[in-house]
Amino acid sequence: MKQAYGISGGALAAAFLGMLFCVWTASGNEVAFCVTAGCSLYQDLTIGGLSMWWIGTAAFAVLACLALLGAVPAGHCLAGLVLLGDVFLLLLMALTSPCVSCLVVACFFALTYWLFGRALHRDARRPQGRSLLLCVWLVLFVVNAGQVVRMQGEVWSISENPDQATVRMFFSPSCSACREGIDILSGSVDVAFCPVAENDADVVRVERLLRLLEEGKTLKEAVAACQDVEEPGPWAFLHPGQWGLRLRLQRNRAHIFNAGSHTVPFFEYHGLPAMLKKQARPPSSARVQEPVIEFSPAGGQTFPDATLPLEPQVAGQCGGPAPCP
């Protein structure tokens, strides 16, 4: 005997809301909470010449009609096929960049599929088992959501001008080349200083460095004064007072690793910094000279002797102890 199904109100509501969201996005409306590069990347994605958002609108419309007509088995089957396609899209975003709007639509697809399955098993008087498709979707969704959260972690700077600075210098207080760079660049409004820890002793140094800065010392003075610290014990990471500091230092370290580097000092440039200019090669010199970078302070004066080569000597390893004192 053919099983009769009634209107699946839950699946109908989920499909209708998903359809409205797709129409809103396809109409060119910006989503305020779309804060990743993937939003722009997938905004104009087309499949067979049709916008992905209009395809999603059509899929939700069909699912809503099936839910309204009580065609629960057909709706569950179609929702499963759509969710399978969404699994491939989630995999693509996991390998590139997640799109927050796409994740919202993915939630509506998964919810519609689950509600159809619930209606199917409820009316058939059968217990609803675990869906392998839904489990795979959930894993990929969590991966993409985690990437979105990770992208929102800002780099931590101890300077007062992190947003205005066009150069970021990532440094370790135990790194000799880092200290040399700080001696040269300290006081420049065009540089934001971002500390990292090469070891547990560096965490204590940065902690002391922050206290010295609060006391009014310059960064150069504070870095020099924070060198002599006691070696922390093996359980120092359990100290609750350092958890927040360790998280910020680890975030800066992760930023360096994501940029493809494992060493400090690490410089990150945004645009062409106003403080950088190349020294002109003397016309009388027959020898080919290496280009140098000249650092200028906030006042605009230049220090002829404050130059660093374009390929500075690396003194610290983000992944372990520094190879130099």
Side-chain angles (χ1 to χ4, degrees):
M1 180 178 178
K2 188 177 179 180
Q3 176 70 41
Y5 298 93
I7 296 175
S8 178
L12 175 61
F16 183 72
L17 290 175
M19 183 181 65
L20 290 181
F21 186 84
C22 285
V23 171
W24 171 266
T25 307
S27 301
N29 296 288
E30 295 183 357
V31 183
F33 54 82
C34 204
V35 291
T36 63
C39 297
S40 301
L41 182 63
Y42 294 103
Q43 177 66 34
D44 299 324
L45 178 64
T46 59
I47 302 176
L50 295 176
S51 170
M52 179 181 64
W53 301 108
W54 289 120
I55 294 176
T57 301
F60 278 122
V62 174
L63 290 171
C65 290
L66 293 175
L68 185 61
L69 296 174
V72 175
H76 185 254
C77 181
L78 178 60
L81 292 176
V82 172
L83 192 64
L84 179 61
D86 194 57
V87 164
F88 286 103
L89 180 59
L90 288 175
L91 179 60
L92 177 62
M93 290 193 296
L95 297 175
T96 54
S97 179
C99 166
V100 177
S101 296
C102 301
L103 294 180
V104 173
V105 174
C107 287
F108 283 120
F109 277 136
L111 182 61
T112 304
Y113 173 75
W114 180 76
L115 289 172
F116 265 123
R118 184 179 179 184
L120 179 66
H121 291 85
R122 182 185 65 241
D123 294 340
R125 304 277 192 251
R126 290 180 297 162
Q128 184 177 5
R130 293 182 180 179
S131 170
L132 177 61
L133 177 61
L134 202 56
C135 291
V136 173
W137 175 91
L138 182 60
V139 170
L140 291 173
F141 181 85
V142 170
V143 170
N144 280 275
Q147 287 194 39
V148 172
V149 174
R150 180 180 61 82
M151 289 178 179
Q152 302 316 303
E154 297 181 356
V155 171
W156 176 51
S157 170
I158 59 175
S159 303
E160 298 179 354
N161 59 324
D163 297 329
Q164 292 77 24
T166 55
V167 177
R168 287 174 178 167
M169 177 183 175
F170 293 81
F171 72 95
S172 164
S174 62
C175 162
S176 60
C178 296
R179 295 195 297 269
E180 181 182 355
I182 290 174
D183 289 345
I184 297 172
L185 301 176
S186 182
S188 173
V189 297
D190 207 27
V191 180
F193 295 94
C194 308
V196 298
E198 299 181 50
N199 44 53
D200 285 340
D202 270 354
V203 178
V204 181
R205 290 187 180 96
V206 173
E207 188 176 37
R208 185 175 179 184
L209 183 149
L210 294 176
R211 289 198 300 265
L212 293 172
L213 290 176
E214 291 177 356
E215 294 174 2
K217 292 187 178 295
T218 65
L219 179 59
K220 178 180 177 180
E221 295 170 341
V223 170
C226 73
Q227 295 303 310
D228 297 328
V229 296
E230 294 183 3
E231 189 70 24
W235 304 104
F237 67 95
L238 295 177
H239 193 286
Q242 292 183 349
W243 289 351
L245 176 61
R246 287 179 180 272
L247 177 61
R248 291 192 293 267
L249 293 172
Q250 189 71 0
R251 197 165 59 202
N252 285 354
R253 182 183 174 192
H255 185 84
I256 298 177
F257 275 64
N258 290 332
S261 178
H262 294 76
T263 58
V264 286
F266 176 77
F267 290 89
E268 190 174 64
Y269 303 90
H270 298 274
L272 180 63
M275 51 167 267
L276 301 179
K277 68 177 182 179
K278 294 181 179 179
Q279 289 183 338
R281 184 174 59 185
S284 59
S285 175
R287 182 174 57 89
V288 178
Q289 296 183 356
E290 292 293 330
V292 295
I293 299 176
E294 186 171 285
F295 297 91
S296 304
Q301 288 180 308
T302 61
F303 293 98
D305 58 337
T307 58
L308 289 176
L310 285 174
E311 297 180 358
Q313 176 136 12
V314 173
Q317 299 288 333
C318 286
C324 70

